[in-house]
Amino acid sequence: MARSTAVTNRIRRLRFERGEMTQRQLAERVGVSRQTLNAIEGGKYSPTLEVAFKISRSLGVGLEDVFAYEPTGDGA
């Protein structure tokens, strides 16, 4: 699957480390749809800063434990 954003994440791994939390359960905690969470988790969509913080807090870790910015090409 091609990545369409320079923001990578560890959401799936962290969900499973927390008792195999489903996408639906995490989406409900964050206040987004399961489809939106699926797109973020799959790297198809970059979350807003607010949603990124909600995801990290729902998983009980810091923002940089969930998300990383990995630019390609121009190095920005």
Side-chain angles (χ1 to χ4, degrees):
M1 174 170 59
R3 212 175 71 192
S4 57
T5 175
V7 177
T8 61
N9 70 78
R10 300 179 54 236
I11 296 172
R12 183 166 190 214
R13 176 180 300 262
L14 291 166
R15 282 192 303 106
F16 282 94
E17 289 175 358
R18 277 136 186 86
E20 299 189 18
M21 179 189 300
T22 66
Q23 283 186 340
R24 181 172 310 280
Q25 290 170 325
L26 181 56
E28 287 174 359
R29 289 183 185 187
V30 173
V32 299
S33 69
R34 190 200 60 77
Q35 291 82 3
T36 296
L37 186 66
N38 183 55
I40 293 169
E41 187 174 298
K44 298 176 185 169
Y45 173 76
S46 293
T48 64
L49 188 55
E50 182 178 351
V51 169
F53 272 109
K54 286 181 178 180
I55 290 171
S56 68
R57 288 184 180 173
S58 294
L59 292 169
V61 295
L63 191 62
E64 291 188 26
D65 294 322
V66 181
F67 297 98
Y69 179 64
E70 298 178 6
T72 59
D74 64 2

